[in-house]
Amino acid sequence: MTNTPRQQPEQQAPPAQKLQVRYAKRGRARFTSHRDFHRALERALRRAGVPMAYSSGFNPHQRISFSNASPTGAATEAEYFEISLREAVEPDAVRAALDAALPTGLDILEVVPSPPGGIADRLTASTWEITVGGLGREVLERAVATLLAAEVAEVERMTKTGLRTFDARAAIIDLAVTGDDTLRLVSRHGTPLVRPDDVLQALGRAEEAFAPAEPPLLTRTAQGVWDGTRIVGPFEARPDA
């Protein structure tokens, strides 16, 4: 009996264009998981008629690359992904068509041609607005002051490999009380990635009275590079560029 050589899969041509996209998750759409968003995006790209490039191999898939997805349950104004196309198109036409094809609350905000290199090195920090109801400004200020005065703030998180302990304080660039029930967090991206809920855990350990009765509302308002005074988004010109 002779073995028939397996036919090699068709090799796809290199992409003709790459686009980077900023999108938002608003309202109830903040409960959309990253996996669910990925599936919704693939369907929307087909409905919008975006000429996607596909990977080579026996199971070709749309060439989409994501960066630093926000946690499920968090709203955001600054999520990013990159798509590769088999032919060049007008970025704003993609923005309009894709935005119309996505469910309510998943909003396409900007589409730009991809510059050389990836987007990861231009997404190194985030700004978050955290709404914590029912505690009062005095409790928030006391918790923030105690946490910022600490050199280390260990927190715990359950991971796929078990319970992990790490320092949340090292990731905090800035943390301030901006209202009677709101905080502004600027955090750097590292390994492990410190999330807003990790900082909330650290605040609870710093101040006993910091115990919200309701889950705090998290909103990522910006993502990019911290220039010492603010987050510079990846589609903006950086001061050192």
Side-chain angles (χ1 to χ4, degrees):
M1 181 176 180
T2 59
N3 292 325
T4 302
R6 189 177 186 183
Q7 185 177 2
Q8 292 300 308
E10 179 183 357
Q11 297 300 302
Q12 302 293 328
Q17 182 185 38
K18 291 186 178 182
L19 299 175
Q20 289 177 355
V21 182
R22 179 169 76 96
Y23 71 97
K25 291 198 297 182
R26 297 165 171 162
R28 294 189 61 81
R30 71 182 187 274
F31 296 109
T32 304
S33 70
H34 178 63
R35 181 176 295 179
D36 288 341
F37 174 75
H38 194 163
R39 285 196 290 260
L41 175 62
E42 289 180 329
R43 292 193 296 267
L45 286 164
R46 288 191 288 268
R47 285 197 298 268
V50 179
M52 293 294 296
Y54 281 75
S55 64
S56 298
F58 289 102
N59 296 296
H61 57 270
Q62 294 176 340
R63 297 186 62 169
I64 308 171
S65 176
F66 292 93
S67 299
N68 297 331
S70 62
T72 302
T76 175
E77 295 293 316
E79 301 299 288
Y80 295 88
F81 61 86
E82 183 176 71
I83 56 176
S84 297
L85 309 183
R86 64 177 182 270
E87 60 186 63
V89 297
E90 176 59 40
D92 198 55
V94 172
R95 185 205 60 75
L98 189 54
D99 186 56
L102 280 167
T104 300
L106 298 175
D107 301 321
I108 303 298
L109 305 180
E110 293 181 87
V111 178
V112 302
S114 298
I119 198 172
D121 63 347
R122 290 177 285 128
L123 298 175
T124 59
S126 290
T127 300
W128 293 88
E129 181 182 275
I130 305 173
T131 302
V132 187
L135 298 182
R137 190 175 189 122
E138 183 179 342
V139 171
L140 298 187
E141 290 179 340
R142 195 161 62 240
V144 167
T146 303
L147 177 56
L148 292 181
E151 292 186 4
V152 175
E154 289 192 340
V155 297
E156 296 177 340
R157 186 197 302 161
M158 185 60 68
T159 69
K160 293 179 180 179
T161 58
L163 191 65
R164 183 170 185 179
T165 301
F166 55 94
D167 177 22
R169 177 64 184 88
I172 299 173
I173 297 172
D174 186 47
L175 180 62
V177 179
T178 56
D180 290 343
D181 60 357
T182 55
L183 303 168
R184 175 180 175 269
L185 166 68
V186 183
S187 59
R188 62 176 55 87
H189 302 165
T191 303
L193 179 66
V194 173
R195 306 181 308 204
D197 52 313
D198 299 318
V199 174
L200 288 168
Q201 183 186 153
L203 286 167
R205 294 189 174 193
E207 169 54 53
E208 185 178 356
F210 190 93
E214 299 290 334
L217 177 60
L218 313 175
T219 303
R220 175 147 51 190
T221 58
Q223 190 177 181
V225 175
W226 177 251
D227 72 352
T229 58
R230 71 179 187 93
I231 295 287
V232 179
F235 299 167
E236 299 181 68
R238 287 175 54 179
D240 57 351

